[in-house]
């Protein structure tokens, strides 16, 4: 059942990636990162509405909303990396991006364990959603304030 509930997150993430690719090709990575971060923030606020009586279709819709940032932010970050890093350092920059992703995954796993413990309640989920909402809001602001990402992509031969 858990896998079925998480399927919209993965499925919509895959489906949103080509949409993000077209957006990045048209306007650069910045807008993709803003949209992805904003939808992550929206998804966190939707999590605050959940409780033990929430119907499964509502869980699936919220999972779908949370899937969009997977496609938009992952591709947006990669595009921003290729735009920012010199060609001679793309490999090292890509490795650092992946390292940071893994470190983030480790920290998020520790945070989930710290907050949820051995059993999850609605209140604990809400606490986790609020923490992620704060982080998401910071991502929205950072994406909006970043000046280094062009409005049109730089095509490199």
């Amino acid at each position: 059942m858990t896998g079925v509930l998480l399927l919209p997150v993965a499925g919509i993430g895959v489906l949103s990636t080509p949409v993000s690719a077209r957006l990045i090709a048209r306007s650069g990575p910045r807008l993709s990162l803003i949209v992805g971060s904003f939808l992550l923030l929206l998804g966190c606020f939707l999590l605050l509405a959940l409780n033990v009586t929430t119907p499964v279709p509502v869980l699936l819709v919220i999972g779908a909303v949370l899937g969009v940032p997977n496609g938009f932010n992952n591709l947006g970050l990669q595009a921003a990396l290729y735009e920012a890093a010199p060609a001679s350092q793309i490999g090292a920059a890509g490795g650092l991006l992946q390292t940071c992703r893994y470190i983030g995954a480790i920290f998020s796993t520790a945070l989930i364990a710290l907050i949820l413990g051995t059993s999850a309640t609605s209140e604990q989920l809400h606490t986790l959603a609020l923490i992620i909402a704060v982080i998401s809001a910071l991502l929205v602001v950072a994406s909006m304030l970043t000046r280094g990402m062009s409005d049109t992509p730089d095509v490199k031969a």
Side-chain angles (χ1 to χ4, degrees):
M1 182 58 130
T2 303
V4 170
L5 291 175
L6 289 175
L7 194 57
V9 176
I12 297 298
V14 168
L15 295 175
S16 67
T17 300
V19 175
S20 175
R22 284 191 294 277
L23 182 63
I24 291 167
R26 201 172 50 228
S27 63
R30 185 172 181 247
L31 185 56
S32 180
L33 291 170
I34 292 170
V35 169
S37 299
F38 177 77
L39 287 172
L40 183 59
L41 180 61
L42 175 64
C44 290
F45 286 132
L46 291 174
L47 288 174
L48 294 174
L50 297 180
N51 59 46
V52 295
T53 63
T54 303
V56 170
V58 173
L59 296 174
L60 296 173
V61 168
I62 293 172
V65 170
L66 289 169
V68 176
N70 284 342
F72 275 69
N73 288 344
N74 285 335
L75 199 56
L77 286 171
Q78 290 174 18
L81 172 121
Y82 293 132
E83 185 178 283
S88 64
Q89 297 177 356
I90 288 290
L96 287 172
L97 176 65
Q98 292 301 329
T99 300
C100 290
R101 284 183 176 171
Y102 287 120
I103 291 171
I106 291 167
F107 281 135
S108 65
T109 302
L111 178 65
I112 290 168
L114 181 67
I115 294 187
L116 299 183
T118 58
S119 64
T121 66
S122 296
E123 293 77 23
Q124 291 167 316
L125 176 64
H126 295 163
T127 300
L128 190 59
L130 285 171
I131 292 168
I132 299 169
V134 169
I135 295 167
S136 301
L138 293 172
L139 289 173
V140 170
V141 171
S143 297
M144 293 176 80
L145 294 178
T146 300
R147 300 281 181 225
M149 294 182 281
S150 67
D151 291 329
T152 55
D154 180 29
V155 179
K156 295 179 184 175

